[in-house]
Amino acid sequence: MHTHEITNQVPDLHDYDLYRSDTALVEAVQREGAHWHDGTLASQGEALGSAEMALLAELANQHPPVLRTHDRCGHRIDVVDFHPAWHTLLAQLRRAGLHALPWMQPGDGAHVARAAGYFLHAQIEAGSLCPTTMTFAAIPVLQQEPALFEQLRTRLFSREHDARDLPITHKRSILIGMGMTEKQGGSDVRSNTAIAMPADPLNDGRGTAYLLSGHKWFFSAPMCDAHLMLARTENGLSCFFVPRWLPDGTRNPILIQRLKDKLGNRSNSSSEVEFEEAMGIMVGAEGRGIATIIEMANHTRLDCVIGSAALMRQALVQALHHARHRSAFGRLLAEQPLMRNVLCDLALESEAATMLMLRLAHAFDGPDDPLQRAWKRIVTPAAKFWICKRALEFTGECMEVWGGNGYVETGPMARLYREAPVNSIWEGSGNVMCLDVLRAISRETEGFQRLLQELEDAAAAHAALAARVHTLRQLLQAPDEEREACARRLVQQLVLALQGMLMLRHAPSGSAEAFLASRCDSDGGRVYGTLAGASLASQQAILERAWPA
């Protein structure tokens, strides 16, 4: 006897094209110079939207990495084992070139093309992006050492994923990780205590080897073939390339103490390690390790922006899919005025985030002029602060659209929600980003003035944007200590002004007006679903643009 029939439950969202269904993304790819990559992105979007890819992402997170410190005989091996789904995901990333595309195919729109592909993958599985991002960001750092880079080039650029745990010379491709954070310092890497002592010169022309001793409290993706890390020499903090295996085929003494038991990002391994005179090769000038690594941080922070924008996009699509299939009180959720207001507000937030992250990627493609440098050095940390912060609230709101079904692990919303905080924390927390914005403004003075002029020009014909730019200028004129205390408010004003400018330029007028009107009163905080004055037709147009029904 059947006790009940299953009705009004929403089917899983599978087998859809992540790229072609995202109008704002497609338009931005064309606008920002990556039109030549459109066909490839369409293929990636279709593949990533498949049920098969969703299952792989689920498996990789249901079966997290496992550490084996010793073999059965007691030998130290420090191996992290992954579910096969993890390696399949890494192979997909590698084929797409997301580990090195702008370095392999430099030219107009290369960073935009790579950002769009990264954005698509991040919607399906975020953990596998960690070693991909670090490898990508390590390449321009390693290029500072031509002899070393020449030995690594082919393996860095390879589009084949090689999962084998072997010395670099025996592998077809390699991944690069990072090891910066220590127990006592966190973001304050200047307090690092790991030391590096000169050893014998290498006989292959790569320079002098150092022996590194100390610890790292967050050592990302320990199964990478090498890591870039900071250690202290007699002349200060320096950057080192530390391979997992030594040239003679023995293991470098990098001892994995344990894997972190993380809130999210579960498919990826993060670890604590000890170094017992591990061999490393200096990269960049001695005592200039932080300056050397800044180039890497600019790229990893951009990926944090892209990754958070992607989580927002996927959460929005899942919320819209649910609302268009789930009924309550006699109507579909999507037909109910208050829910429609919430969904429209979320759609505007997601579109503005997408526009900003691809405009940022365009700056990395652009010439080295003051305006593009201002976008890279000022807007990158600002966007990381704001977009990554917004992703937390955004994914929570989308989970609430699902109700109780969103709170259980068998659906997609819990993983999106657990994933959201990591980008806000990794590569510098919110305060670190805001202080970095202030430092960058003081250094990139010409570029920042051009950026402000760009905002002034856009605001000339729009009162709401003009008011925000005016508030921004007032905050910039405050005394140093007061400006630092209000740095979060200043950065919020800057990012919302830039998003408003981009929406005015590139979004439909109804969307732009709704975005600017709703964000002009956000200084004290706001919740989603507070749009005012948007007609039913305007709301329907916003939702149809966000994700066609």
Side-chain angles (χ1 to χ4, degrees), residues 97-173:
L98 300 185
H99 65 294
L101 183 62
W103 321 128
M104 294 188 296
Q105 298 175 230
D108 292 343
H111 280 279
V112 174
R114 188 256 176 188
Y118 190 102
F119 178 80
L120 294 174
H121 188 100
Q123 293 180 49
I124 303 305
E125 209 290 306
S128 52
L129 291 167
C130 179
T132 305
T133 282
M134 293 186 295
T135 302
F136 170 71
I139 290 174
V141 176
L142 292 169
Q143 286 174 331
Q144 298 179 33
E145 298 295 331
L148 174 61
F149 182 74
E150 200 54 40
Q151 293 189 358
L152 303 174
R153 176 199 296 270
T154 301
R155 296 174 180 89
L156 284 170
F157 287 176
S158 172
R159 288 182 182 252
E160 177 185 1
H161 173 58
D162 188 343
R164 297 174 300 164
D165 184 22
L166 295 171
I168 287 174
T169 54
H170 297 167
K171 296 198 65 175
R172 295 184 294 272
S173 66

Side-chain angles (χ1 to χ4, degrees), residues 227-302:
H227 286 72
L228 289 176
M229 57 170 286
L230 294 177
R232 193 173 296 278
T233 68
E234 290 183 352
N235 294 311
L237 281 174
S238 303
C239 180
F240 295 90
F241 173 83
V242 185
R244 179 166 164 75
W245 292 80
L246 295 171
D248 64 5
T250 60
R251 295 182 187 276
N252 212 0
I254 305 165
L255 310 181
I256 305 174
Q257 302 302 309
R258 62 175 174 173
L259 299 185
K260 297 290 192 181
D261 186 6
K262 296 175 294 184
L263 167 69
N265 204 247
R266 291 179 178 174
S267 67
N268 176 45
S269 60
S270 302
S271 63
E272 301 166 22
V273 299
E274 298 285 342
F275 299 88
E276 296 184 351
E277 295 191 337
M279 189 276 286
I281 302 168
M282 188 179 291
V283 177
E286 184 174 0
R288 296 285 295 165
I290 293 176
T292 300
I293 219 71
I294 283 294
E295 177 73 17
M296 192 172 186
N298 285 339
H299 291 294
T300 53
R301 289 171 178 178
L302 174 60

Side-chain angles (χ1 to χ4, degrees), residues 262-410:
K262 296 175 294 184
L263 167 69
N265 204 247
R266 291 179 178 174
S267 67
N268 176 45
S269 60
S270 302
S271 63
E272 301 166 22
V273 299
E274 298 285 342
F275 299 88
E276 296 184 351
E277 295 191 337
M279 189 276 286
I281 302 168
M282 188 179 291
V283 177
E286 184 174 0
R288 296 285 295 165
I290 293 176
T292 300
I293 219 71
I294 283 294
E295 177 73 17
M296 192 172 186
N298 285 339
H299 291 294
T300 53
R301 289 171 178 178
L302 174 60
D303 278 7
C304 288
V305 176
I306 303 168
S308 289
L311 290 175
M312 293 164 71
R313 171 64 187 175
Q314 180 61 199
L316 171 66
V317 168
Q318 292 288 352
L320 286 168
H321 174 73
H322 185 88
R324 288 167 176 169
H325 288 82
R326 178 79 168 180
S327 296
F329 310 109
R331 282 190 293 178
L332 288 172
L333 292 176
E335 296 174 349
Q336 301 188 25
L338 185 53
M339 178 59 78
R340 192 168 55 240
N341 193 312
V342 171
L343 294 172
C344 284
D345 208 352
L346 292 166
L348 294 173
E349 186 82 20
S350 177
E351 177 160 359
T354 300
M355 284 185 177
L356 183 62
M357 67 96 175
L358 279 190
R359 173 60 184 89
L360 261 181
H362 174 80
F364 282 77
D365 278 321
D368 190 26
D369 63 40
L371 179 59
Q372 300 306 325
R373 283 201 306 274
W375 273 91
K376 286 186 285 187
R377 278 294 294 120
I378 298 170
V379 183
T380 297
K384 182 189 179 304
F385 166 74
W386 183 248
I387 302 300
C388 297
K389 288 284 186 206
R390 296 298 281 168
L392 275 74
E393 182 183 356
F394 191 102
T395 52
E397 193 72 61
C398 291
M399 178 188 287
E400 192 171 323
V401 172
W402 276 55
N405 286 336
Y407 198 67
V408 297
E409 294 287 350
T410 50

